[in-house]
Amino acid sequence: MNVPDRVPLPPTLDPGGHGGSHGPLVNEFLTAILENREPAVNVYEALAMTAPGIVAHRSALKGGELLKVPSYDKA
């Protein structure tokens, strides 16, 4: 996966949290829609990065119970 370190933001867009990643990610996503192309982080990559954190949180709420992380491979 090749995601640029910095994506120029419109001057009125706040970069947001997580070290300023929200603004560039939203900008890239919306630009991809407007340009009719795949975004730098597609839905499958986003799920692969998000699902483990959600499952880890559930596991923590259940005292560290081992839980299966679902796979969201491109069909």
Side-chain angles (χ1 to χ4, degrees), residues 2-7 20-21 24:
N2 184 14
V3 179
D5 287 337
R6 294 280 177 220
V7 177
S21 66

Side-chain angles (χ1 to χ4, degrees), residues 21-63:
S21 66
H22 291 169
L25 285 170
V26 169
N27 186 61
E28 166 57 16
F29 180 73
L30 294 175
T31 302
I33 291 171
L34 293 172
E35 294 174 354
N36 195 32
R37 63 173 173 78
E38 279 283 317
V41 177
N42 68 36
V43 66
Y44 303 102
E45 293 164 331
L47 282 168
M49 290 184 256
T50 304
I54 294 169
V55 173
H57 180 69
R58 275 195 201 142
S59 171
L61 294 174
K62 295 181 175 194

